[in-house]
Amino acid sequence: MTERAAAAAATTGVAPAVRTRYYKRFDRVSRLTHGLLMLSFLGLAATGMPLLFSDQRWAWVLSRVFGGFEMSGLLHRFFATILIGVFVAHVGRLVMRVYRDKDYSIFWGPTSLAPQPRDLREMVQHFRWFIGQGPRPTFDRYTYWEKFDYWAVFWGMFIIGGSGLMLWFPGFFSIFLPGWVFNIALLVHGEEALLAVGFIFTIHFFNGHLRPTKFPMDLVIFTGRVTEEEFQHERPGEFARLARTGHLSALVTDEPTPRVVTLGRTVGTVAVAIGLTLVVLIVYAVIF
């Protein structure tokens, strides 16, 4: 408490409210990257599902929203271009960290997204905690499920992106690939996209926004900030490590503005609503 606040409290007899301390978790580039990734993925799902389930009534209606099946295909390629651009930019940023900044922490250690033995131990410990058979793991910078989500994007880029480029530019790829490969690419592109949509719009959304401690919305990826209480609860290992090494105070930041909070809540709600709606439509198409 400052001297001025203490004097005011002594005069009025009312203790000042304790101000919540915030810490920076994601920088602006990371939030922008995630935002573009989210936009492109939602766009790809919304324009791709009508093409995959074109015999369904809802697919015809949804395609009409975008101007028909042909326009849906054009928009699908537009969002694919954004996604490829985001992926290339992200990989380029990692390369710059290694070669320009000599930052090798991306390969191993508590701030790395590389799978490590610690992740397996924490996953087992976490499942034991679910059934009341042990304490909750002291997660550090990234949890095991966040790393799975991260690498799933890389896997998807090579499988879905690679097959999509083959279908987009068949004339070029037919120079050195036999025709039957395109039939496989068509099958793989649709089935893998269906798997990605189902995973992101159920498991990822649940972990990010719908589990009891986060419901109805986790705003950290939109604001880039977490409260001290949330930081200590969600990432006790990282909080303790930063406090021990003297780097914690450097992450102290301001409270997010109401405008940013409102924008994040609005964008997140729209994304979750679109995603869950598409999941319902896909389940309906598969069953009926």
Side-chain angles (χ1 to χ4, degrees):
M1 185 185 302
T2 63
E3 292 183 2
R4 180 178 296 180
T11 302
T12 61
V14 178
V18 178
R19 187 177 180 183
T20 302
R21 179 173 293 180
Y22 284 82
Y23 293 90
K24 180 185 290 185
R25 176 156 173 75
F26 295 114
D27 61 19
R28 186 171 298 177
V29 174
S30 297
R31 286 183 285 140
L32 176 62
T33 301
H34 184 272
L36 291 173
L37 179 66
M38 183 175 66
L39 170 67
S40 58
F41 189 84
L42 282 169
L44 286 166
T47 56
M49 289 302 111
L51 301 174
L52 187 62
F53 297 99
S54 56
D55 59 331
Q56 295 287 317
R57 173 69 180 174
W58 63 261
W60 181 82
V61 174
L62 187 56
S63 71
R64 296 294 295 175
V65 173
F66 299 117
F69 284 110
E70 185 176 353
M71 183 57 72
S72 295
L74 291 175
L75 288 173
H76 195 71
R77 291 167 176 79
F78 170 73
F79 287 117
T81 303
I82 295 178
L83 183 61
I84 292 172
V86 170
F87 181 76
V88 171
H90 177 67
V91 173
R93 192 185 186 200
L94 294 179
V95 172
M96 291 290 284
R97 283 178 59 181
V98 172
Y99 286 97
R100 186 193 65 187
D101 304 333
K102 308 300 180 187
D103 178 8
Y104 303 112
S105 64
I106 65 170
F107 296 116
W108 203 259
T111 61
S112 171
L113 278 161
Q116 299 168 51
R118 173 194 177 106
D119 300 311
L120 183 59
R121 290 197 302 270
E122 290 181 345
M123 185 178 70
V124 173
Q125 190 178 356
H126 205 198
F127 277 75
R128 288 174 58 84
W129 175 73
F130 285 148
I131 58 176
Q133 297 299 310
R136 190 172 185 271
T138 55
F139 293 117
D140 207 288
R141 174 70 179 172
Y142 300 110
T143 63
Y144 63 88
W145 69 83
E146 290 170 337
K147 293 184 179 183
F148 184 88
D149 291 355
Y150 177 80
W151 287 104
V153 175
F154 273 78
W155 166 267
M157 282 303 301
F158 286 106
I159 301 299
I160 307 177
S163 58
L165 287 173
M166 289 175 58
L167 300 173
W168 190 354
F169 303 104
F172 170 75
F173 285 98
S174 64
I175 296 175
F176 47 87
L177 290 176
W180 59 268
V181 174
F182 292 88
N183 293 331
I184 295 179
L186 181 62
L187 179 65
V188 168
H189 191 71
E191 297 299 322
E192 183 67 18
L194 203 58
L195 178 64
V197 167
F199 178 82
I200 293 296
F201 292 159
T202 55
I203 305 298
H204 180 71
F205 276 4
F206 175 80
N207 286 332
H209 306 296
L210 304 179
R211 58 192 166 109
T213 56
K214 295 296 181 183
F215 185 83
M217 187 66 60
D218 185 1
L219 296 174
V220 63
I221 196 59
F222 303 109
T223 66
R225 297 164 166 83
V226 292
T227 65
E228 185 171 76
E229 180 183 8
E230 184 180 1
F231 197 177
Q232 289 180 312
H233 175 71
E234 294 286 330
R235 320 279 165 173
E238 182 183 16
F239 190 90
R241 176 174 54 79
L242 292 172
R244 186 173 60 253
T245 57
H247 294 103
L248 187 62
S249 59
L251 297 179
V252 175
T253 186
D254 298 328
E255 180 180 0
T257 64
R259 183 178 180 182
V260 171
V261 171
T262 301
L263 178 63
R265 201 179 299 280
T266 303
V267 171
T269 301
V270 171
V272 171
I274 293 175
L276 295 181
T277 300
L278 286 174
V279 168
V280 171
L281 293 174
I282 291 171
V283 171
Y284 176 84
V286 171
I287 294 177
F288 301 102

